[in-house]
């Protein structure tokens, strides 16, 4: 029996419309092959919404997202809107969307596709061990959301930023970590700085308190400084990393760097319930907008994550990932992942989407 779901679609700015168009092509193919119905509801956000409505995320657009079963986003922003006042900037739309949807977890896979191993700045022998892990980052608490103060004390300026977490905030992100590990290889590494910080000691205590509820997941602990080293020394050891906001911000950028291909990386942001926000990690790439050269794979894989984490369609999500794998195996590359080009064929955004959709169709026979 197929499912019927509504997806709020935010094409956004720059390359957004091109890459989202290809992700929808793949979703349509999944719907056809598996007898699902996906209804798309277009949402204006970012620069396009500023031009049309004078607001990067009008309330009615946010409400469309809240009525949907899940949200797919391309990217927003561009030089054209650099001069608009702070609260009207395209990125404000994104922050308001995250807050409005109540998403408190950002999840980014770091995976090296064997076909693109040369793009990684890591040594081949490290890459060949296999890199495929997920960073689950707390998104709405910690030091970024604590009080920030600068005052003069004893004749000099003194700045304070407060790092605060409640048990409840830690528990809910911890659960996303355990649930994610459950859907992958069953290993969760909790990353903190419990040798120094009280907030980290509470973090560790809450994570270990949850472990009894997830006997199928193996929980380990790692200090954040060690984790930063291990990500470049032996990333194959990780399956899922769960960590607080600032540590996750830094580690997830480090992790995307080691894969060497920004156009390939999807992400999800989740809260309570199954509705999520799915988007590639890159921006709107105005330098290549409209040229049909953008890599749509990060967005296509985001759509795959949406199928898995919001709709529970694991087989379909696996199929999307396998289709990407097959098209890369056949040697097709967009410009950003072409490398030296030996044995490869350079194709555009549209053809990449079309080939991945075709690979999904072929697999279903
Ligand atoms: P960017 O990620 O857009 O681009 C960085 C570089 O990577 C550029 O050379 C670009 O051409 C390339 N690139 C990015 N995605 C690509 C893809 N799919 N295929 C091929 N090449 C790709 O970062 P930027 O240039 O710093 O920012 C551009 C705009 O995007 C800014 O307005 C910024 O505020 C915005 N932005 C939006 C988001 C978002 O919507 N979540 C995130 C980051 C930046």
């Amino acid at each position: 029996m197929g499912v019927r779901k509504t997806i709020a679609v935010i094409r956004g700015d720059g390359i957004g419309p091109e890459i989202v168009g290809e992700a929808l092509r793949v979703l349509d193919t999944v719907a056809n092959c598996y007898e699902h119905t996906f209804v798309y509801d277009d949402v204006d956000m970012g620069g396009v919404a500023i031009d049309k409505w004078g607001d990067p995320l009008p309330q009615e657009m946010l409400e469309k997202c809240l009525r949907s079963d899940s949200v797919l986003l391309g990217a927003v922003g561009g030089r054209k809107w650099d001069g608009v006042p702070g609260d009207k900037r395209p990125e404000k739309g994104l922050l308001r969307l995250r807050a409005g949807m109540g998403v408190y977890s950002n999840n980014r896979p770091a995976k090296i596709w064997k076909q693109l191993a040369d793009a990684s700045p890591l040594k081949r022998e490290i890459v060949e061990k296999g890199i495929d892990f997920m960073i689950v980052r707390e998104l709405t608490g910690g030091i970024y959301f604590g009080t920030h103060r600068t005052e003069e004390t004893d004749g000099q300026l003194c700045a304070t930023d407060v790092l605060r977490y409640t048990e409840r905030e830690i528990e809910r992100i911890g659960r996303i970590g355990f649930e994610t590990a459950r859907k992958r290889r069953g290993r969760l590494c909790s990353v903190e700085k419990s040798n120094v910080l009280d907030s980290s000691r509470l973090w560790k205590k809450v994570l270990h308190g949850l472990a009894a509820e997830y006997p199928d997941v193996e929980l380990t602990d790692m200090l954040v400084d060690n984790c930063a080293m291990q990500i470049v020394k032996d990333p194959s050891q990780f399956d899922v990393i769960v960590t607080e906001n600032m540590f996750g911000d830094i580690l997830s950028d480090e992790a995307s760097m080691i894969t060497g291909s920004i156009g390939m990386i999807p992400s999800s942001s989740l809260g309570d319930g199954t509705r999520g926000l799915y988007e590639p990690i890159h921006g709107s790439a105005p330098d290549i907008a409209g040229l049909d050269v953008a890599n749509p794979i990060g967005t296509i894989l985001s759509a795959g994550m949406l199928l898995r984490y919001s709709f529970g369609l694991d087989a379909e999500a696996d199929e999307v990932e396998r289709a990407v794998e097959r098209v890369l195996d056949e040697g097709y590359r967009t410009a950003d992942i072409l490398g030296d080009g030996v044995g490869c064929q350079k194709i555009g955004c549209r053809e990449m989407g079309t080939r991945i959709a075709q690979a999904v169709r072929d697999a279903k026979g």
Side-chain angles (χ1 to χ4, degrees), residues 15 19 73-79 82 91 94 98 262-263 279-288 293-296 336:
I15 59 170
I19 54 179
L73 164 67
V76 296
R79 235 161 284 137
D82 279 353
E91 298 76 13
L94 191 52
R98 286 180 183 149
I262 192 177
E279 56 181 317
I281 66 159
H282 58 73
S284 58
D287 52 328
I288 56 168
V293 297
N295 185 348
D336 59 308

Side-chain angles (χ1 to χ4, degrees), residues 12 25 55-56 64 75 96 121 131 150-151 156 204 221 229 253 302 344:
R25 191 192 301 281
D55 183 337
K64 279 188 186 203
R96 279 193 350 232
I131 299 176
T150 304
E151 62 204 341
Q156 61 175 335
K204 191 170 173 179
D221 305 294
M229 286 193 287
D253 268 16
S302 299
C344 295

